[in-house]
Amino acid sequence: MESPFDNIVNCCGCGACASACTHKAISLIANAQGFVYPVIDKDKCIDCGLCRKVCGYGKTELLHREKQTCYGGIDCSIEKSQSSSGGIANVISQWIIKNGGVVYGCALENSEELLVPRHIRVQEEKDLRKLQGSKYVQSDIGETYIQAKKDLKNGLLVLFTGTPCQIAGLYSYLRHSYDNLFTIDVICHGVPSKQLFQDSVKKFEKENRGKVKSLLFRDKSNFPALNQKIIYNQKINVRYYTDSTYYTCFLRGDIYRDCCYSCPYAKQQRVGDISLGDFWGIEKTNPEEIRQNGGPIDPKQGVSCVLVNSDQGELLLEKVNNNLYLFNSDIESISLNNHQLNHPSNEPSCRGHILQQYEKHGYDGFLYAVHNAYKWPDRIAKTKRFIKRLLCIK
């Protein structure tokens, strides 16, 4: 077997093929831009074709066809939550663990003096904090598909959270339905590479002469929660996203994986039992729910949109309903400010050049290419922000 895929745009890097290969013939190797792809060791490969069979990318049969119900909502203790949005996933995760189950999700862990985004298995409630908060970088699945399958066969409740393509990869890898499996997919823009993310952290460490211990992409201390909070050398650095080139490029869509710009899961039909994201625009769609209008929700603390896509999802939400505040919504209101429910992210014309410069000249080349691509738009935006601050206009 030459490759599990025909074209790099048909590979999301989930690793289902590597997990399924019983001969350990497949490794996920990063290319020069940091994106991982499966590479086959021809000496170990027996040409069984299993890697192609378990590739779930783009399989439309994995999308749920049941009637979809939509809500907005928050964890009733949201003001204490470390979650980026409404804290719904954390409440569900707590229920799973309290009932003897396990939760899989993305954590940013320190390993060999690097922040590593990877999926982990959580069995104790105190460790759920590792899974809270947005991680704007591709997570390494590692052996969590394999571990989840063992847990399912052992009869444990399993909650697996991730991007839609990671959930599709899990389903395709399992090749069997389990009544004790629940999945949550996040409404995803796209994923930058782990390598580029780590290079951005190294740049911060060099400029600030310290080792980064933790990083939070969405710090809630200032609305609209687009502040990055970095803890290093017992110091705390909180900066707006425009002060981080990596973060800015993520929000602009400059640095995603190739397949993200043609993502087959960026639609209203979803692959997870439940889909979660930010409920942007609640002030216009549901003003009666806001605290200043007599409702229970403070948008500054985050609000989640909740799409229930299957009978499993409906069952799961019923179990935690008493710990949530939910209000009825519809897919039109939610998708209005979540374009990923309508179409994939658009690929900026400068993306190719930016990543080519990163490939050739490292992170400094990346910074230089971004500066040249956005020099004038950034200057205009910064001038506008300066004038607003000067005039005390909020």
Side-chain angles (χ1 to χ4, degrees), residues 11 18 31 64 106 237 239 254 257 281 319 345:
C11 176
N31 65 11
H64 290 292
C106 177
N237 178 292
R239 56 182 181 171
D254 295 333
R257 193 179 177 92
K319 298 293 184 181
S345 295

Side-chain angles (χ1 to χ4, degrees), residues 137-185:
V137 57
Q138 184 163 29
S139 172
D140 179 9
I141 288 292
E143 295 191 351
T144 53
Y145 286 168
I146 298 171
Q147 292 172 321
K149 187 174 185 178
K150 290 179 181 177
D151 288 333
L152 290 165
K153 286 187 172 181
N154 288 332
L156 294 178
L157 290 176
V158 172
L159 173 65
F160 204 101
T161 66
T163 60
C165 57
Q166 289 173 331
I167 301 302
L170 172 68
Y171 282 139
S172 194
Y173 163 75
L174 292 174
R175 294 190 294 164
H176 180 75
S177 60
Y178 292 87
D179 292 337
N180 51 327
L181 172 64
F182 301 92
T183 60
I184 295 176
D185 72 56

